[in-house]
């Protein structure tokens, strides 16, 4: 039995992520999806809460033929203990999936195998683009699974991202974050 | 569509919890299982990590006929913001299940419906008893689902609880916690 | 101009505290009332939020003939930096009022004058007794200023303390705190 | 009885803020002034401690014909729980005043009424300008209430802001913050 | 080259610890002394700051014939990441020395060799006894190295422990900790 | 007896720092080297853990004719309590050495003497340059003591800094920090 760990921020979970999961599904029996920066929300870069992202991911993976876990990972701001933190919040895993150099390095120093994938970078790029489209009322729905579009509508996600986008032009008093 | 939220420490997830979930399953379409004190582990009272408890719960609920989410909830030590914290970590829910007076009060002050259940207290009592049996090599397997027993064996859980049980008699130097 | 600093938890602000303030008012021109353990609330020992305690104190001092400040002080759990923390949250003060040996010691090591008062201990004792009376529907109103009684009623304080009092008998699952 | 909540960083409290308070005073019976980023100090952007800002505000509002509270709000770096945090630190309020899009959004998602004011933006702009003038020994006193100017002199505020302004040119070793 | 790691609270560093170090010195080339609960001070159980304990240890080991490091380890309250935390704060080590069952378990789960010693328990017992003697003006000097006695006198340590000992009888208002 | 406190990030400890220590050694009897941002590691700007930096410093100072202490100082993100934090983690000191304007100001407000040195700025500049050389496989060994070069090789430091340098070009998903 092989269990994989795939880490991302998933703001939102989109088609790029979904294709990566499809590929990982051919390599493992179970998959943990780690939701990074779980405590962040309501910003342009991190609009959705951990709970909202859990819902996006769980709904999108429900028909996959492997056991999946969606696990929020709060930031610790301590790189040296981050791998232990992840390991304590996640079911035990055999291999990690990431294209982020820092994540790869941290897992490697801890002796954990990391696999990369050519699709990761494209997925990564889509995150910023999708949030820009959401903020500017451009087409974003075609870039995410239908389940994710439903979640975003249910939580009024587009209105939120458009509202908080205005904060950037207001440098003096960015409360609260 | 109704989504319920059931909060516990699940150290470990046992038959008492399982019967509660069976009952809740008749009332809701989806269920979030919130794993409290998610950051605690390796103590007599909280032997298992959040990841291990996620595994116990997910494996035990896999055949249930409702969508389930197992969500770790780290302690904030701020009662006044705890409900918001839970809400940000969990898919949106309509009703909370708990028999803990503080939890009930906090949800009520936030205007969230809470339902109690006569089985909760029995489940609660079993937690301490199960950990005592684990520590003393008494029969504990009959009190948990088979999936949970498998997880505990896979992670060497009995050895861990027996080892850390010895800490209690050593008052001077309880590092690290 | 002399400014005093009087630290307490004020759970709730009661007649014992009020008499102490009356005495301090004869010694200083301005008074900072520091509300300790500001982040704690909704427990038997700390039922009221910082905001509720600010309201009790400000309303009770409104007719005093000295400038007063009610300042919440969140716990840092680091005794060695506590005085600096207090100083950064409070208007600058010349003398501190406390009967707590640890507080006295910390201020003294920082070179700050501390004055004690025979009334402090009595006030201290009343805190526990007042909360017991609140929990058991005994007479508590005669022990607090009328302004405080009004605040407690406005916020449904008695119901809260009675509800969370039940938590103590439930040792297994004290979420969230 | 209506209680308003006005949130700002007040670095320092200046004439723009004061005019806003004058306007709010016509709409509410009591006003809570929330001091954001209360834990920050000794930087170019946040030169003054929470205690110093409490003093500026309390002294400036002493002659207003409404009950006022000056309440420090420490950052939590968790947008999703920020409103609960504010509510626990503040006397209960009916309406919030802010022009910050993120703050407005967070209060709105929590079901709290927010009012904006055309003066806010001007006040906001003045904050940066006033600190620039302080750092460069330009005229700043005309932009703040006389009470604020006195506080800043009492605490040697100009010297502090001029000293820490030099830090910006020194990118390598910005201890401690 | 073998480097050992010896963890304790060292409140204070006493003859029992010193004998343990003497024994470890025969087994390793370099020794890291980890000072646990480094953030605690000014309580009966943890009277001395990390800095004061560093001084005690460094002065006592100065004549030992091995390279030594005295490293403060702040508590994280997360057992599952504690070993990583220790490893990031300490020079890399090959073997850990402890008699605490929890510490042993955590190091073992991380694959780190732990050695126990019959003297540890005696040393452990002496900690409480030495602090009792300090609090009650009993003979304590004979139980610690002369260098430690000098440090304790230089920092007025006996007066501190006697003062904060009085706090225990005052259950109502234990600010700040 | 005079004890000095020299604060830096020491990423890595290099010849510029070493020359400063040589100068300080002529002015004091004992020297505490405070390692700032102790919790940071595995980034381009802060590649080395506190433990690795302790090793660099201790090895480099072993032949100096003064008692030295290498003390990690974790960030608190609260300028107003930073001096107290430093004082609690360090043996008591009489004079601080720094060229950082913020550090100087904070120590001055706390009444602690600070001495500057013309060499500091040069040392500061070298930090960035040395890390650039490490990342680009340029000559860096000539800029650090031989003992430091050995530590960096022992811990595979060059590979680490080269790997995490790649992270900067990947703005979307900088987990975990």
């Amino acid at each position: 039995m092989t269990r994989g760990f795939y880490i991302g921020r998933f703001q939102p979970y989109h088609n790029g992520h979904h294709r990566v999961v499809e590929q990982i599904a051919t390599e493992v029996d179970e998959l943990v999806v780690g939701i990074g920066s779980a405590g962040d929300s309501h910003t342009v870069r991190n609009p959705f809460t951990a709970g909202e992202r859990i819902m996006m991911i769980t709904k999108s993976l429900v028909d996959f033929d492997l056991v999946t876990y969606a696990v929020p990972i709060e930031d610790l701001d301590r790189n040296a203990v981050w791998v232990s933190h992840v390991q304590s919040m996640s079911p035990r895993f055999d291999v990690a999936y990431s294209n982020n150099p820092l994540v790869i390095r941290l897992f490697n120093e801890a002796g954990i195998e990391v696999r990369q994938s050519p699709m990761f970078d494209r997925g990564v790029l889509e995150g910023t683009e999708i949030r820009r489209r959401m903020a500017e009322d451009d087409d974003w729905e075609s870039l995410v699974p239908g389940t994710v579009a439903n979640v975003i509508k249910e939580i009024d996600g587009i209105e939120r991202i458009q509202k908080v986008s205005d904060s950037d032009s207001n440098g003096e008093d960015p409360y609260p974050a």
Side-chain angles (χ1 to χ4, degrees), chain A:
Chain A
M1 212 282 292
T2 302
R3 194 177 293 128
F5 179 81
Y6 172 33
I7 178 83
R9 285 197 358 264
F10 306 113
Q11 292 282 14
Y13 182 83
H14 56 60
N15 290 335
H17 300 126
H18 207 60
R19 284 196 299 273
V20 171
V21 171
E22 281 169 346
Q23 180 187 313
I24 297 175
T26 66
E27 305 178 14
V28 301
D29 304 290
E30 300 195 351
L31 177 61
V32 182
V33 182
I35 300 171
S37 299
D40 291 356
S41 69
H42 295 83
T43 67
V44 175
R45 188 171 140 76
N46 287 298
F48 305 114
T49 68
E52 291 161 355
R53 291 177 272 165
I54 288 171
M55 202 154 46
M56 294 177 196
I57 291 164
T58 305
K59 298 274 191 195
S60 300
L61 301 185
V62 82
D63 294 330
F64 267 73
D65 195 24
L66 79 173
V67 178
T68 55
Y69 311 79
V71 179
I73 307 286
E74 297 194 38
D75 287 337
L76 275 194
D77 288 325
R78 286 281 310 273
N79 285 335
V81 305
W82 186 78
V83 169
S84 283
H85 173 51
V86 165
Q87 288 177 313
S88 75
M89 288 292 153
S90 167
R92 203 172 282 188
F93 53 87
D94 308 291
V95 53
Y97 291 83
S98 174
N99 267 17
N100 180 290
L102 173 55
V103 168
I104 295 170
R105 178 72 191 175
L106 293 174
F107 277 127
N108 280 341
E109 288 198 10
I112 293 167
E113 182 194 353
V114 183
R115 293 189 197 149
Q116 296 182 247
S117 140
M119 285 144 104
F120 276 57
D121 255 334
R122 271 182 42 203
V124 153
L125 290 174
E126 284 169 18
T128 308
E129 171 64 10
I130 290 170
R131 294 193 298 272
R132 187 199 59 74
R133 293 186 181 196
M134 288 172 163
E136 299 176 9
D137 256 334
D138 226 331
D139 167 53
W140 57 270
E141 286 201 47
S142 61
L143 302 179
V144 303
T147 44
V148 170
N150 287 342
V151 169
I152 289 173
K153 286 170 191 166
E154 182 194 331
I155 63 172
D156 254 344
I158 300 304
E159 193 189 320
R160 184 193 295 162
I161 204 170
Q162 290 176 352
K163 286 284 163 69
V164 298
S165 292
D166 296 339
S167 293
D168 285 358
S169 53
N170 187 337
E172 172 66 359
D173 284 74
Y175 330 96

